[in-house]
Amino acid sequence: MIELGFFAVLAALAGWLMRRRARQRSEAVADGEPAEVPCMLKWAALGSRWKVGRLLLTGTDPLLRTSFPGRREVALPPGLRRTGVRAPSVREGLTINPRSRIVECESAEGEVLIAVMPEDLEHVTEAVRVTSS
């Protein structure tokens, strides 16, 4: 019984921390400051798999900071424009979080898919809209 109480407190703490980080990101974007949004990106130039990273939302073009090998920053292709937003398919849901949303984009280099959580969707769609202008 004590274990259940411990895990309930731990889950509440984790939820509070996640909401706090999302609120901080929203405030940073609203103030025009750079913000990092956790995401997964699938783009032919990076290979056929989903890449884990953070999308750096700044006043200029968004950058992807990969989470693994080398932590390099990759600029998204120029002329990126959003073509749609959708929920992940069952197969994609096995790889990425099934609660996430996928922002579909097109560029001269091909299709780019950006998977983000619903609370960060507005920030990413706004950044892609700004990029295509």
Side-chain angles (χ1 to χ4, degrees), residues 84-103:
V85 176
R86 63 178 173 85
S89 67
V90 174
R91 186 173 180 174
E92 289 170 330
L94 297 173
T95 307
I96 63 175
N97 189 327
R99 199 174 71 92
S100 65
R101 295 294 171 255
I102 298 175
V103 179

Side-chain angles (χ1 to χ4, degrees), residues 7-97:
F7 287 120
V9 169
L10 190 62
L13 179 63
W16 176 76
L17 289 171
M18 290 173 60
R19 283 191 304 276
R20 181 174 161 229
R21 291 287 303 186
R23 187 180 65 237
Q24 288 173 343
R25 276 193 300 274
S26 294
E27 290 171 358
V29 169
D31 293 341
E33 299 173 4
E36 291 187 353
V37 175
C39 71
M40 294 184 79
L41 189 117
K42 188 174 185 180
W43 173 26
L46 296 177
S48 62
R49 294 188 173 185
W50 288 96
K51 303 295 183 198
V52 178
R54 294 187 169 275
L55 199 60
L56 302 174
L57 304 178
T58 61
T60 61
D61 295 339
L63 298 170
L64 176 74
R65 179 177 291 158
T66 57
S67 294
F68 299 110
R71 288 189 156 300
R72 62 187 177 126
E73 291 183 0
V74 179
L76 295 181
L80 192 65
R81 62 184 179 86
R82 182 173 54 107
T83 58
V85 176
R86 63 178 173 85
S89 67
V90 174
R91 186 173 180 174
E92 289 170 330
L94 297 173
T95 307
I96 63 175
N97 189 327

Side-chain angles (χ1 to χ4, degrees), residues 107-125:
S107 72
E109 297 179 22
E111 183 180 41
V112 177
L113 302 176
I114 306 170
V116 296
M117 296 307 288
E119 53 270 10
D120 296 319
L121 181 62
E122 182 181 340
H123 307 312
V124 173
T125 55

